[in-house]
Amino acid sequence: DVKVTQSSRYLVKRTGEKVFLECVQDMDHENMFWYRQDPGLGLRLIYFSYDVKMKEKGDIPEGYSVSREKKERFSLILESASTNQTSMYLCATQQGGGGYTFGSGTRLTVV
Amino acid sequence: GQQLNQSPQSMFIQEGEDVSMNCTSSSIFNTWLWYKQDPGEGPVLLIALYKAGELTSNGRLTAQFGITRKDSFLNISASIPSDVGIYFCAGFLSGSARQLTFGSGTQLTVLP
């Protein structure tokens, strides 16, 4: 089974801090995605990547950036954390046209 | 943005009851997927459907790919407390095999 590991389950950061959320997968999947999940808003796509060093904006990229230097690792960066970025962040991977495999999520609180 | 209408948004049912939820769209999908998300966890794939009319079961779960390719439903029979969670439908729009479109989720609560 594919394993998608998100580095932290819970994070508390201060407003203005630079925050790194890490996602690592162990099955050589090409495609990786970052979503945020908020009550009543469902899953919203932030950024995605189909290859190393490749990145594309999703539906809500403002305030975020990403990095994919190695195939197995896709990092989400909050350049200057704000309270409205308090959310559950989910990483997902995909190979070919198959369904997504999700990590367990990182619940980020910005105070 | 989201193009899937998932209903109901939430359900409260008694243990042992059957549950039905569905997703509809004005667009054609070539794959339908159903996920379950336990509290505090990421979504996990339950069932995948690849052909119009396909009916697939996974234990007490049954899902169907609508004939028009614009809808899908998920049934859970004889619900148990561990069925609690959020159920998401998702699909690949016709012509796309990379970006999933997600429904907004159905929050299921099972009362003992």
Side-chain angles (χ1 to χ4, degrees), chain A residues 48-56 66 68 74, chain B residues 98:
Chain A
F48 59 98
S49 169
Y50 293 153
D51 202 353
V52 175
K53 297 192 186 296
M54 178 270 183
K55 58 185 178 184
E56 292 283 348
V66 289
R68 193 166 182 201
F74 192 35
Chain B
R98 284 180 166 179

Side-chain angles (χ1 to χ4, degrees), chain A residues 3-96:
Chain A
K3 190 167 183 182
V4 181
T5 303
Q6 293 186 231
S7 53
S8 304
R9 294 297 300 272
Y10 300 94
L11 274 179
V12 180
K13 296 292 182 180
R14 295 195 179 277
T15 300
E17 277 194 73
K18 190 168 186 176
V19 181
F20 292 85
L21 303 183
E22 305 287 348
C23 177
V24 178
Q25 50 111 348
D26 65 358
M27 284 297 291
D28 205 36
H29 281 189
E30 294 174 346
N31 306 331
M32 298 187 75
F33 307 82
W34 274 107
Y35 286 86
R36 66 177 282 177
Q37 182 179 24
D38 301 287
L41 297 177
L43 295 166
R44 293 184 290 168
L45 181 63
I46 305 171
Y47 266 96
F48 59 98
S49 169
Y50 293 153
D51 202 353
V52 175
K53 297 192 186 296
M54 178 270 183
K55 58 185 178 184
E56 292 283 348
K57 294 179 180 179
D59 299 320
I60 53 162
E62 296 77 20
Y64 303 94
S65 63
V66 289
S67 172
R68 193 166 182 201
E69 296 296 317
K70 294 184 178 181
K71 193 173 187 178
E72 67 269 20
R73 185 181 297 269
F74 192 35
S75 304
L76 179 69
I77 304 157
L78 285 66
E79 297 290 344
S80 178
S82 63
T83 54
N84 63 13
Q85 291 179 309
T86 292
S87 185
M88 173 73 142
Y89 289 88
L90 291 163
C91 174
T93 72
Q94 183 204 27
Q95 181 68 12

Side-chain angles (χ1 to χ4, degrees), chain A residues 9 30-31 33 35 37 41-43 45 48 50 59 88 90 94 96-105, chain B residues 1-2 9 31 33 35 37 39-45 50 86 88 92 97-100 102-105:
Chain A
R9 294 297 300 272
E30 294 174 346
N31 306 331
F33 307 82
Y35 286 86
Q37 182 179 24
L41 297 177
L43 295 166
L45 181 63
F48 59 98
Y50 293 153
D59 299 320
M88 173 73 142
L90 291 163
Q94 183 204 27
Y100 292 2
T101 300
F102 286 88
S104 297
Chain B
Q2 289 185 351
Q9 283 190 324
T31 300
L33 306 168
Y35 286 85
Q37 185 178 25
E41 299 290 333
V44 174
L45 183 65
Y50 301 105
I86 303 175
F88 290 98
F92 288 112
R98 284 180 166 179
Q99 280 199 43
L100 273 176
F102 285 91
S104 54

